[in-house]
Amino acid sequence: MADNHWEDVYKTKAVDRVSWYQSRAETSLRLITDTGMSHEAAIIDVGSGASRLIDNLLAAGFANITALDLSASALATSKKRLKAKAENVTWLVGDVLTTAFAKAQFSIWHDRAVFHFLMTPEQQQSYVTQAAKAVERGGYAIIATFAEDGPEKCSGLPVQRYSAQQLAEVFAEHFTLVHTEREIHKTPNGSEQKFNYCVLRRN
C-alpha cells in the first residue's frame, strides 16, 4: 500500500478534518465489547491512524492493545494525545500485508476502512491469510468497509465497496459471519459515508 500517501495525509491535514475522523468510535467500541472477550484479550487496530478508538478502548478497561499503521506521523499523534497512557499500547509502523504476526497472536482484529483500499484479489487474499494466522480460533475479526452504495474513493484513492454478504464471503474460508450492521458516518465537512461492519468469528 502507498506508505508515502498516508504520511503526506497526516502531515498536511488536521486529524479532526480527515474524512474518517470520529470524536468517539462508538460502533467499533460496542462491537468489540459485544464479543464478550475479557479486558485482557489481545486486540489489534489495523490502520489505527490517529483514531480515538485506542483512547476509547483504554478508557473501557482493555489492557492489551496493538495499533498498526503505515503512517508513523499518525501513530505519533495518538501517542502525544494519550501522554503516559501511550506506554500501555504496542505501536507498530508497517503494512498489514507484510507485518510478521505470530500465530494466534490476537483475540480481536479490528479494521475500520483499510480492507476496502485493497483493490486486487491477490492483496485481498493476502490480507485474509494474515488475519487468519494472527487471530486465535474462536477469536474475532471486525471489518468495516464502504458499503455497496458508499463512496467510490477515499482520500483520492479508489476503494472496493462491499455488501455485508460480499465481505463475509471474502473471509469465509477461515471466518464465520456472526453479525453485520450499517453505519452512516458524517464526515467533518458534513457529507455522509455509508459503511458496512462485519463481525466474523475465526473457525
Side-chain angles (χ1 to χ4, degrees):
M1 290 177 69
D3 307 40
N4 292 340
H5 174 86
W6 297 112
E7 270 295 280
D8 291 345
V9 167
Y10 281 105
K11 282 180 176 176
T12 57
K13 274 196 167 187
V15 168
D16 61 357
R17 299 308 300 167
V18 295
S19 65
W20 53 91
Y21 172 75
Q22 294 175 303
S23 59
R24 180 174 168 81
E26 296 281 3
T27 304
S28 294
L29 181 62
R30 174 169 47 78
L31 293 178
I32 288 169
T33 302
D34 285 353
T35 64
M37 291 285 185
S38 78
H39 283 165
E40 284 67 50
I43 300 172
I44 183 167
D45 185 27
V46 174
S48 191
S51 167
R52 295 189 178 253
L53 177 61
I54 303 300
D55 315 47
N56 302 157
L57 289 169
L58 288 169
F62 289 97
N64 190 351
I65 304 165
T66 298
L68 171 71
D69 201 89
L70 285 166
S71 170
S73 298
L75 295 181
T77 297
S78 284
K79 286 187 208 176
K80 185 176 180 183
R81 186 181 66 241
L82 286 163
K83 299 177 181 171
K85 292 178 185 172
E87 296 173 12
N88 300 318
V89 178
T90 300
W91 304 94
L92 292 178
V93 177
D95 186 330
V96 65
L97 300 184
T98 55
T99 297
F101 297 114
K103 188 173 172 57
Q105 185 174 350
F106 301 105
S107 298
I108 299 174
W109 172 290
H110 173 269
D111 165 6
R112 178 178 178 268
V114 171
F115 186 71
H116 64 200
F117 285 109
L118 305 180
M119 297 300 291
T120 70
E122 291 77 18
Q123 288 178 316
Q124 293 156 10
Q125 190 51 53
S126 176
Y127 180 107
V128 173
T129 300
Q130 285 280 75
K133 175 186 178 182
V135 178
E136 66 187 15
R137 292 190 183 277
Y140 294 88
I142 299 168
I143 312 290
T145 68
F146 282 159
E148 63 275 28
D149 53 350
E152 296 181 351
K153 286 190 168 185
C154 180
S155 191
L157 299 178
V159 298
Q160 178 70 52
R161 300 179 297 176
Y162 293 90
S163 69
Q165 200 53 47
Q166 288 170 329
L167 189 55
E169 284 171 6
V170 177
F171 288 82
E173 183 181 349
H174 303 286
F175 293 86
T176 300
L177 179 66
V178 294
H179 176 72
T180 71
E181 62 182 74
R182 282 170 66 86
E183 177 186 70
I184 298 178
H185 167 64
K186 282 240 172 53
T187 70
N189 70 8
S191 61
E192 292 185 346
Q193 296 177 336
K194 295 171 182 173
F195 278 84
N196 279 323
Y197 284 73
C198 285
V199 180
L200 307 147
R201 185 184 291 118
R202 178 73 170 92
N203 300 334

